[in-house]
Amino acid sequence: MGGAGRVGGSGEAGREARTAADEVTAAAPATLAALERLRPRLAAAGLGLGLAHVGEPGLAPAGPAEAAAAAAMPPRRRREFLAGREAARRALRAVGVECGEIPREGRLPVFAPGRAASLSHSAGIAVAVARAPGGHTPLGCDLELRPLPCDAARLVLGPDEEPLLGTAAGAGTWSLTGLFSAKETAWKALHLAPGRAGTASMRTLRDLRAEPCGEALYIGPRIDPRAGRSSRPRVGASSRPRSGPSGLPCTGARAGQSYGVRVRVLPVGAGVFSYALGWAGADGRSTPVPTARRS
């Protein structure tokens, strides 16, 4: 779009860009570089990666719907919004799909048919993942560059999940920020699933249950959505730990769930980036799409 389509006049836009650039911490270039190095890993999972940051020049609405939405926002939120939309377009371009403006419904982005992406932003950096048309990889990602305070655990985890904090996860440990990011990723992926099966019981992150599955996490809706209750196994279900898709053990306690999402949490600078690896059935094995059964 030309200058007339940008948010605000040239002087205002320039001041906003400089202010936004000042808000991006000195660690932003290193964080962007760390995210960029994940591109081959994401491509192997069938995902394209898109990155943007609030301080880059030329961020502008791609159409009237984006312009109208951006015009109603305060300057900082406006730059985050435009960076997120640009990251989503770049992610789609990485899988060979062009995309114009991305309007919204409430706070959710609305993509044209044949286009789908998940986006997140933190500390002035926007990241998005997209899949090629016809793909079945779950779409979900989350970037958290500011650690969560310990007292936020009660808002994220049920009592049955609190033992996860500090337990081994490959070469590292599960932090509260990592578990929050993983659940945010799974929440997005499950709400974008065909038929949105099982999301009726999802009101807060505590309505999702996480458990280690090799170096990843298995996350799915609880059978009993009341906070703090463990999922109740189906009659005849084995209580033995199951093997995940990699052959590494999953700790069990999800026997009553019909499907879930495998999520990988990776360190990025001082924070974490999470993305959905694939769908998994109740037996911990990979499945191309989630089942339509309700939990």
Side-chain angles (χ1 to χ4, degrees), residues 14 35 37 54 56 84 96 102 126 129 158 163 180 213 219 225 228 239 250 256 295:
L35 287 166
R37 287 193 291 271
V54 296
E56 66 180 83
I102 305 168
V129 295
F180 170 83
C213 191
I219 302 176
S239 61
C250 299
S295 294

Side-chain angles (χ1 to χ4, degrees), residues 126-231:
V127 60
V129 295
R131 63 178 176 230
H136 299 294
T137 305
L139 276 177
C141 73
D142 185 71
L143 180 65
E144 300 294 335
L145 298 178
R146 300 184 180 95
L148 267 68
C150 293
D151 59 4
R154 62 184 178 82
L155 304 176
V156 180
L157 306 175
D160 57 333
E161 296 171 297
E162 291 177 3
L164 288 175
L165 289 170
T167 58
T173 58
W174 299 114
S175 66
L176 177 59
T177 305
L179 291 167
F180 170 83
S181 182
K183 284 197 171 188
E184 280 282 310
T185 292
W187 182 284
K188 295 174 185 178
L190 290 165
H191 273 278
L192 287 171
R196 296 176 59 176
T199 60
S201 65
M202 290 166 46
R203 296 184 297 273
T204 74
L205 293 182
R206 285 164 58 94
D207 295 330
L208 293 174
R209 189 180 190 283
E211 65 172 280
C213 191
E215 294 185 349
L217 284 164
Y218 174 98
I219 302 176
R222 294 178 182 271
I223 295 175
D224 183 349
R226 287 174 293 180
R229 294 288 188 92
S230 299
S231 299

Side-chain angles (χ1 to χ4, degrees), residues 65-66 81 85 101-105 108-112:
E66 285 187 11
F81 172 78
R85 289 315 194 258
E101 73 168 343
I102 305 168
R104 64 177 187 163
E105 183 177 327
L108 299 177
V110 178
F111 293 92

